[in-house]
PDB file of all heavy atoms in Angstrom:
ATOM      1  N   THR B  62      87.486 157.617 102.731  1.00  0.00           N
ATOM      2  CA  THR B  62      88.314 157.146 103.839  1.00  0.00           C
ATOM      3  C   THR B  62      88.416 155.634 103.724  1.00  0.00           C
ATOM      4  O   THR B  62      87.400 154.949 103.572  1.00  0.00           O
ATOM      5  CB  THR B  62      87.694 157.521 105.193  1.00  0.00           C
ATOM      6  OG1 THR B  62      87.547 158.943 105.243  1.00  0.00           O
ATOM      7  CG2 THR B  62      88.578 157.072 106.341  1.00  0.00           C
ATOM      8  N   LEU B  63      89.660 155.131 103.784  1.00  0.00           N
ATOM      9  CA  LEU B  63      89.913 153.705 103.618  1.00  0.00           C
ATOM     10  C   LEU B  63      90.492 153.164 104.921  1.00  0.00           C
ATOM     11  O   LEU B  63      91.575 153.565 105.331  1.00  0.00           O
ATOM     12  CB  LEU B  63      90.906 153.518 102.463  1.00  0.00           C
ATOM     13  CG  LEU B  63      91.398 152.123 102.110  1.00  0.00           C
ATOM     14  CD1 LEU B  63      90.248 151.203 101.722  1.00  0.00           C
ATOM     15  CD2 LEU B  63      92.418 152.209 100.961  1.00  0.00           C
ATOM     16  N   ILE B  64      89.760 152.298 105.579  1.00  0.00           N
ATOM     17  CA  ILE B  64      90.232 151.661 106.814  1.00  0.00           C
ATOM     18  C   ILE B  64      90.802 150.317 106.409  1.00  0.00           C
ATOM     19  O   ILE B  64      90.078 149.441 105.948  1.00  0.00           O
ATOM     20  CB  ILE B  64      89.080 151.516 107.827  1.00  0.00           C
ATOM     21  CG1 ILE B  64      88.539 152.904 108.176  1.00  0.00           C
ATOM     22  CG2 ILE B  64      89.545 150.770 109.077  1.00  0.00           C
ATOM     23  CD1 ILE B  64      87.329 152.888 109.087  1.00  0.00           C
ATOM     24  N   SER B  65      92.121 150.182 106.551  1.00  0.00           N
ATOM     25  CA  SER B  65      92.800 149.046 105.923  1.00  0.00           C
ATOM     26  C   SER B  65      93.586 148.200 106.899  1.00  0.00           C
ATOM     27  O   SER B  65      94.405 148.702 107.665  1.00  0.00           O
ATOM     28  CB  SER B  65      93.736 149.569 104.829  1.00  0.00           C
ATOM     29  OG  SER B  65      94.434 148.498 104.225  1.00  0.00           O
ATOM     30  N   GLY B  66      93.363 146.906 106.842  1.00  0.00           N
ATOM     31  CA  GLY B  66      94.240 145.943 107.499  1.00  0.00           C
ATOM     32  C   GLY B  66      95.567 145.911 106.761  1.00  0.00           C
ATOM     33  O   GLY B  66      95.741 146.606 105.755  1.00  0.00           O
ATOM     34  N   PRO B  67      96.532 145.102 107.246  1.00  0.00           N
ATOM     35  CA  PRO B  67      97.862 145.070 106.628  1.00  0.00           C
ATOM     36  C   PRO B  67      97.827 144.527 105.200  1.00  0.00           C
ATOM     37  O   PRO B  67      97.400 143.406 104.975  1.00  0.00           O
ATOM     38  CB  PRO B  67      98.669 144.149 107.547  1.00  0.00           C
ATOM     39  CG  PRO B  67      97.672 143.444 108.405  1.00  0.00           C
ATOM     40  CD  PRO B  67      96.437 144.241 108.443  1.00  0.00           C
ATOM     41  N   THR B  68      98.260 145.334 104.232  1.00  0.00           N
ATOM     42  CA  THR B  68      98.370 144.901 102.838  1.00  0.00           C
ATOM     43  C   THR B  68      99.704 145.405 102.303  1.00  0.00           C
ATOM     44  O   THR B  68     100.368 146.201 102.966  1.00  0.00           O
ATOM     45  CB  THR B  68      97.265 145.496 101.936  1.00  0.00           C
ATOM     46  OG1 THR B  68      97.564 146.871 101.671  1.00  0.00           O
ATOM     47  CG2 THR B  68      95.880 145.401 102.576  1.00  0.00           C
ATOM     48  N   SER B  69     100.058 144.990 101.104  1.00  0.00           N
ATOM     49  CA  SER B  69     101.291 145.509 100.488  1.00  0.00           C
ATOM     50  C   SER B  69     100.955 146.542  99.416  1.00  0.00           C
ATOM     51  O   SER B  69     101.781 146.836  98.558  1.00  0.00           O
ATOM     52  CB  SER B  69     102.101 144.356  99.901  1.00  0.00           C
ATOM     53  OG  SER B  69     101.313 143.632  98.982  1.00  0.00           O
ATOM     54  N   LEU B  70      99.755 147.114  99.454  1.00  0.00           N
ATOM     55  CA  LEU B  70      99.315 148.066  98.428  1.00  0.00           C
ATOM     56  C   LEU B  70      99.663 149.499  98.807  1.00  0.00           C
ATOM     57  O   LEU B  70      99.717 149.849  99.988  1.00  0.00           O
ATOM     58  CB  LEU B  70      97.798 147.939  98.226  1.00  0.00           C
ATOM     59  CG  LEU B  70      97.293 146.540  97.855  1.00  0.00           C
ATOM     60  CD1 LEU B  70      95.765 146.518  97.820  1.00  0.00           C
ATOM     61  CD2 LEU B  70      97.864 146.103  96.520  1.00  0.00           C
ATOM     62  N   ASP B  71      99.861 150.335  97.788  1.00  0.00           N
ATOM     63  CA  ASP B  71     100.074 151.766  98.022  1.00  0.00           C
ATOM     64  C   ASP B  71      98.732 152.452  98.256  1.00  0.00           C
ATOM     65  O   ASP B  71      97.726 152.078  97.658  1.00  0.00           O
ATOM     66  CB  ASP B  71     100.754 152.409  96.803  1.00  0.00           C
ATOM     67  CG  ASP B  71     102.167 151.887  96.616  1.00  0.00           C
ATOM     68  OD1 ASP B  71     102.826 151.605  97.633  1.00  0.00           O
ATOM     69  OD2 ASP B  71     102.596 151.740  95.462  1.00  0.00           O
ATOM     70  N   ALA B  72      98.737 153.478  99.114  1.00  0.00           N
ATOM     71  CA  ALA B  72      97.525 154.259  99.357  1.00  0.00           C
ATOM     72  C   ALA B  72      97.105 154.949  98.062  1.00  0.00           C
ATOM     73  O   ALA B  72      97.931 155.572  97.403  1.00  0.00           O
ATOM     74  CB  ALA B  72      97.790 155.292 100.437  1.00  0.00           C
ATOM     75  N   PRO B  73      95.820 154.847  97.663  1.00  0.00           N
ATOM     76  CA  PRO B  73      95.377 155.548  96.450  1.00  0.00           C
ATOM     77  C   PRO B  73      95.474 157.066  96.664  1.00  0.00           C
ATOM     78  O   PRO B  73      95.223 157.559  97.768  1.00  0.00           O
ATOM     79  CB  PRO B  73      93.911 155.116  96.302  1.00  0.00           C
ATOM     80  CG  PRO B  73      93.734 153.925  97.198  1.00  0.00           C
ATOM     81  CD  PRO B  73      94.741 154.070  98.298  1.00  0.00           C
TER      82      PRO B  73
END
Side-chain angles (χ1 to χ4, degrees):
Chain B
T62 302
L63 177 60
I64 299 176
S65 178
T68 75
S69 56
L70 303 174
D71 293 326

